[in-house]
């Protein structure tokens, strides 16, 4: 009897559909492309999704509090070019890493501060900073490629080690920390409370403004790390073109994984599998020699489906209440 209860508890988890669908897609591409189901290709996919995965975790907690961040690609680009420029100027790698993370965190906090203090919707503020951050990045680099990095800097994003490379280990570590925070720590419960009902959270004495600024600060910190990895992994970065569609890709991962666009719901496991799913689709389409435009079509279709599921869940909850 207990085994049955345990099975139904697992089967009832909201992440089960995305996990099953991801496995179905994996098996489908394994059948269509002989080289898809190999250890080397799995390691390649894992390496390819690390940057999107890290940014998607930050996007998840932003969405959980009912927010939105359209500036993620621009902030990543700005942090990446600053990291590359610091390396070119001879900064020690640990100093470059620390300063890049601090810059990302500060700019993320700026987003949160503008949203909270000016009482402007998140989407408007981050639409403005999306252009501001990208513009600054382009101006300070004169729209030139930043390259010729030191070996120490390149080792940060190196794919050596396969599934145990630095980027993948960093992604796994951050995902585990986020999962622990959301499930067992008070800050995680605050995010659900603020996103679920902001007015009720304020009446309970919760400092909603402080929580929101902290969330955008954490998001900025992750974007600083992602920018650092981007420049190091590819060995070069160009401010005008780097991560131009990052906001849509990472939003897709979070929504596919069960995050509610209206706040109050989100899952690290769901977001991770959402990121894996999109990474597998991109890799699989290349393996079967399909047009890359199919990825845009599939991503858009999946986002629309995720939003429809969110709306149905909200209507069901209202119907029960």
């Amino acid at each position: 009897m207990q085994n049955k209860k345990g099975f139904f508890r697992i089967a009832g988890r909201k992440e089960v559909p995305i996990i099953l669908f991801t496995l179905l897609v994996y098996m489908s591409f394994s059948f269509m492309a002989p080289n898809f189901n190999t250890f080397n290709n799995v390691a390649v996919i894992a390496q390819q999704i690390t940057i999107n995965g890290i940014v998607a975790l930050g996007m998840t907690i932003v969405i959980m509090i009912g927010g939105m961040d359209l500036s993620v690609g621009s902030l990543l680009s700005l942090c990446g070019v600053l990291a590359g420029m610091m390396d070119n100027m001879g900064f020690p790698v640990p100093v470059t890493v620390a300063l890049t993370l601090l810059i990302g965190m500060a700019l993320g906090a700026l987003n949160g501060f503008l949203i909270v203090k000016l009482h402007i919707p998140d989407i408007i503020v981050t639409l403005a900073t999306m252009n501001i951050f990208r513009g600054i990045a382009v101006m300070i680099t004169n729209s030139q490629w930043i390259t010729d990095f030191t070996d120490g800097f390149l080792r940060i994003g190196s794919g050596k080690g396969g599934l145990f490379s630095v980027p993948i280990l960093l992604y796994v570590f951050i995902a585990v920390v986020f999962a622990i925070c959301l499930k067992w720590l008070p800050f995680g419960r605050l995010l659900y409370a603020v996103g679920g009902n902001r007015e009720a959270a304020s009446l309970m004495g919760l400092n909603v403004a402080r929580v929101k600024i902290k969330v955008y600060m954490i998001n900025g910190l992750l974007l600083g790390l992602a920018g650092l990895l981007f420049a190091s992994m590819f060995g070069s970065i160009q401010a005008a073109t780097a991560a131009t569609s990052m906001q849509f890709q990472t939003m897709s991962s979070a929504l596919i994984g069960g995050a509610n666009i209206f706040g109050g719901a989100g899952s690290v496991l769901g977001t991770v599998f959402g990121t894996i799913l999109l990474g597998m689709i991109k890799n699989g389409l290349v393996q079967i020699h399909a047009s890359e435009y199919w990825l845009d079509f599939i991503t858009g279709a999946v986002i629309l489906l995720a939003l429809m599921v969110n709306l149905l869940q909200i209507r069901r909850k209202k119907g029960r209440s």
Side-chain angles (χ1 to χ4, degrees):
M1 192 66 179
Q2 287 183 345
N3 289 337
K4 286 185 178 180
K5 287 182 179 179
F7 171 78
F8 285 118
R9 192 182 300 115
I10 293 172
R13 287 183 63 92
K14 60 185 178 182
E15 297 92 354
V16 170
I18 181 64
I19 293 173
L20 293 177
F21 187 63
T22 302
L23 292 174
L24 178 63
V25 171
Y26 183 85
M27 289 187 290
S28 300
F29 278 124
S30 297
F31 177 76
M32 291 186 288
N35 295 324
F36 185 82
N37 187 24
T38 62
F39 180 82
N40 286 339
N41 193 54
V42 169
V44 168
I45 294 172
Q47 184 80 5
Q48 289 174 340
I49 67 170
T50 51
I51 294 174
N52 279 9
I54 289 170
V55 179
L57 290 172
M59 182 69 84
T60 299
I61 61 172
V62 170
I63 293 175
M64 280 176 60
I65 60 169
M68 184 60 61
D69 190 350
L70 298 180
S71 70
V72 292
S74 298
L75 182 46
L76 183 154
S77 176
L78 178 55
C79 288
V81 298
L82 287 173
M85 292 173 72
M86 284 187 278
D87 186 68
N88 285 168
M89 289 187 286
F91 282 53
V93 173
V95 175
T96 298
V97 171
L99 288 176
T100 304
L101 296 181
L102 286 173
I103 291 167
M105 189 164 58
L107 294 176
L110 175 64
N111 271 340
F113 182 83
L114 292 173
I115 291 164
V116 168
K117 297 302 180 182
L118 299 182
H119 303 288
I120 301 174
D122 307 52
I123 192 170
I124 302 299
V125 169
T126 57
L127 180 64
T129 55
M130 175 182 75
N131 291 286
I132 292 170
F133 295 154
R134 182 79 63 178
I136 293 172
V138 171
M139 284 190 292
I140 63 176
T141 61
N142 292 317
S143 200
Q144 300 297 311
W145 285 89
I146 307 299
T147 185
D148 297 325
F149 302 136
T150 62
D151 290 339
F153 185 84
L154 292 172
R155 276 196 291 270
I156 300 171
S158 171
K160 291 181 180 178
L163 291 175
F164 298 98
S165 64
V166 173
I168 294 173
L169 292 177
L170 278 172
Y171 177 38
V172 172
F173 173 75
I174 293 168
V176 170
V177 170
F178 266 56
I180 292 171
C181 178
L182 293 182
K183 189 169 181 63
W184 287 296
L185 297 185
F187 184 68
R189 292 193 289 273
L190 279 177
L191 300 187
Y192 286 111
V194 169
N197 193 323
R198 196 169 303 173
E199 289 74 19
S202 297
L203 291 173
M204 290 168 59
L206 301 179
N207 193 326
V208 174
R210 184 181 297 173
V211 171
K212 199 156 196 174
I213 291 174
K214 283 183 179 179
V215 165
Y216 277 95
M217 188 182 298
I218 294 168
N219 188 45
L221 176 68
L222 294 181
L223 288 167
L225 175 61
L228 189 71
L229 287 173
F230 189 101
S232 176
M233 189 180 293
F234 295 105
S236 62
I237 186 169
Q238 209 267 353
T241 57
T244 50
S245 60
M246 181 68 70
Q247 61 269 31
F248 302 112
Q249 295 170 11
T250 54
M251 196 187 308
S252 303
S253 298
L255 293 175
I256 293 167
N260 190 327
I261 195 68
F262 301 105
S267 162
V268 170
L269 183 62
T271 297
V272 168
F273 269 91
T275 305
I276 292 172
L277 175 62
L278 293 180
M280 283 198 320
I281 292 172
K282 183 176 183 179
N283 182 276
L285 290 175
V286 171
Q287 295 271 355
I288 63 174
H289 308 290
S291 170
E292 65 179 37
Y293 296 111
W294 276 103
L295 179 64
D296 296 330
F297 172 80
I298 293 170
T299 301
V302 173
I303 291 175
L304 184 60
L305 180 62
L307 287 172
M308 290 170 63
V309 171
N310 277 336
L311 290 172
L312 286 173
Q313 289 174 340
I314 292 169
R315 286 177 182 176
R316 283 180 183 176
K317 287 181 181 179
K318 287 182 178 179
R320 288 172 187 172
S321 58

